[in-house]
Amino acid sequence: MAADVSISSLSIGTYSAPRSQPLREDGKGASAARTGAAESTTGSAAGSATDTVTLSDAAQQQVQKLKQADTNVRRHEAAHQAAGGSHAGGASFTYTRGPDGKNYATAGEVPVDASAESEPAATIAKMEQVKAAALAPADPSPQDMRVAAQADATKLQAQAELRRQGGDGGGGGDGAAARAAAAYGAAQGLGSGAGRGAGLTV
């Protein structure tokens, strides 16, 4: 059992608009951009009055950037969800109100269950899917990469345990366990100090 390496409630897909597009005003710099399949009209638009307002060229350019960011954010998160299957939760988004009065998704994340299973073989299969979910977007964020590394480390430990259970060569199993421990330690370091059971955002 790899209960000591259980990581739960990781979040993948945290994505915000690229820095070249100053779309967010909350000062929170998310590490990855989220892509979406549809433009966000969630939230209260300024009503039909906005339909009659003529936007300046600068405002129109900002709206276009917001629309593109919204599309990218939703697509990014959808990729995480599709690859994560039953291990991935629903996407959540952070919105920015554009000069047209509409809200656009400019950041998002998808939680993924990356806890170890009771059986090593099940853990290995699960970690492969978690890694696939983390790396599913065309533009994985640094946090996505950390979640993938965490999944690899957990998978290595499960493989070492599976070898021990099968009685395959004591020396080889010990070497695999040492490598797994080292990989897990490295992944923990990448997680910015997040401990066991902590949530990560990619």
Side-chain angles (χ1 to χ4, degrees):
M1 303 233 326
D4 59 326
V5 298
S6 294
I7 306 296
S8 62
S9 222
L10 300 175
S11 291
I12 58 176
T14 298
Y15 183 85
S16 65
R19 293 179 183 174
S20 61
Q21 300 176 4
L23 303 178
R24 298 188 62 185
E25 301 178 303
D26 57 6
K28 295 178 182 176
S31 59
R34 298 306 162 134
T35 324
E39 295 176 6
S40 168
T41 55
T42 306
S44 57
S48 58
T50 58
D51 297 337
T52 61
V53 173
T54 301
L55 299 176
S56 67
D57 288 344
Q60 288 178 2
Q61 289 178 3
Q62 186 180 4
V63 167
Q64 288 300 11
K65 289 180 179 181
L66 286 167
K67 285 182 178 180
Q68 184 61 50
D70 184 281
T71 297
N72 292 339
V73 165
R74 292 175 186 278
R75 187 177 301 134
H76 186 109
E77 300 310 318
H80 283 310
Q81 286 182 295
S86 62
H87 302 306
S92 59
F93 299 98
T94 298
Y95 296 95
T96 296
R97 183 176 292 277
D100 57 353
K102 296 181 181 179
N103 288 336
Y104 298 91
T106 50
E109 65 183 25
V110 170
V112 61
D113 175 14
S115 60
E117 297 293 315
S118 58
E119 293 299 325
T123 296
I124 291 169
K126 183 176 182 179
M127 291 307 110
E128 288 174 348
Q129 186 167 10
V130 168
K131 180 179 180 179
L135 302 179
D139 55 345
S141 71
Q143 184 60 26
D144 293 341
M145 301 300 291
R146 283 191 285 270
V147 172
Q150 196 84 22
D152 272 341
T154 303
K155 176 182 172 181
L156 279 173
Q157 286 198 333
Q159 288 174 329
E161 183 175 347
L162 196 60
R163 290 190 189 95
R164 285 195 300 272
Q165 289 180 356
D168 295 340
D174 292 342
R179 286 194 302 274
Y184 183 73
Q188 287 291 81
L190 286 173
S192 303
R196 178 174 25 168
L200 297 179
T201 300
V202 280

